[in-house]
Amino acid sequence: QDESERCFAIAQRCIAAGDVEKAVRFLKKADRLYPSKKAQELLRKLTEDADEAQESKSSESSASDEVRKRKVSGSRISKENKENEGGDYTPEQLELLKRIKRCKDYYDVLDVKKDCKESDLKKAYRKLALQMHPDKNKAPG
């Protein structure tokens, strides 16, 4: 019952803030938790108001009878174009990639000695992983 009253209080704050949809959700939750007359009355009032607003909107939109189309943001288009271009990479990134492909040993790839400490090995790996991450390095290969 306490949770139901808390949801009712949140719904009242949402109504005061103008967020009717959120208020309706909290009133429905309050009604599920512990049915009360005040929550049901307020929910009924809000749904009636929402239905009236919906009817007025539908009468306005029925006059145009056009199919709504989703707008595509410009950032999405530019991202797709960048991916199709092959990406940007520096000569240093390309040289790093070629050096890695020439290496025969993992220690050579990480550019560390075979008798190095484990911490140095991990540090070199993390550094290389950052340099070669596909989001940062678009070099082919």
Side-chain angles (χ1 to χ4, degrees):
Q1 184 177 358
D2 293 336
E3 284 295 314
S4 174
E5 290 174 5
R6 203 173 106 215
C7 288
F8 184 77
I10 292 171
Q12 287 178 324
R13 285 195 302 264
C14 291
I15 292 169
D19 193 356
V20 178
E21 292 177 19
K22 192 173 183 181
V24 168
R25 281 186 295 166
F26 274 103
L27 285 172
K28 286 180 180 178
K29 184 174 183 179
D31 194 43
R32 278 194 315 265
L33 291 171
Y34 188 80
S36 66
K37 289 281 185 193
K38 61 181 183 179
Q40 292 171 353
E41 289 292 322
L42 188 57
L43 181 61
R44 186 178 49 78
K45 181 182 172 192
L46 285 177
T47 52
E48 286 175 0
D49 292 344
D51 289 343
E52 289 173 6
Q54 187 69 24
E55 287 174 8
S56 64
K57 284 183 181 178
S58 65
S59 64
E60 292 172 5
S61 65
S62 64
S64 62
D65 283 342
E66 290 184 19
V67 178
R68 290 177 44 191
K69 294 184 180 180
R70 178 178 280 177
K71 295 179 183 177
V72 180
S73 66
S75 62
R76 184 177 293 173
I77 293 171
S78 64
K79 282 181 185 177
E80 290 173 358
N81 289 341
K82 282 184 181 178
E83 290 174 1
N84 292 338
E85 288 175 3
D88 299 324
Y89 54 92
T90 63
E92 292 85 18
Q93 291 173 332
L94 188 59
E95 186 59 39
L96 178 64
L97 184 69
K98 288 179 181 178
R99 183 186 67 81
I100 290 172
K101 290 194 175 228
R102 285 192 306 260
C103 293
K104 304 281 188 216
D105 189 6
Y106 291 123
Y107 292 98
D108 292 337
V109 170
L110 296 175
D111 200 25
V112 294
K113 296 178 183 175
K114 290 189 179 190
D115 59 347
C116 70
K117 296 180 188 174
E118 184 178 347
S119 61
D120 294 335
L121 194 65
K122 288 181 179 181
K123 185 177 178 181
Y125 173 78
R126 289 187 188 114
K127 181 180 174 185
L128 185 66
L130 283 174
Q131 290 174 341
M132 296 304 297
H133 193 278
D135 289 342
K136 296 187 179 192
N137 186 351
K138 303 283 186 186

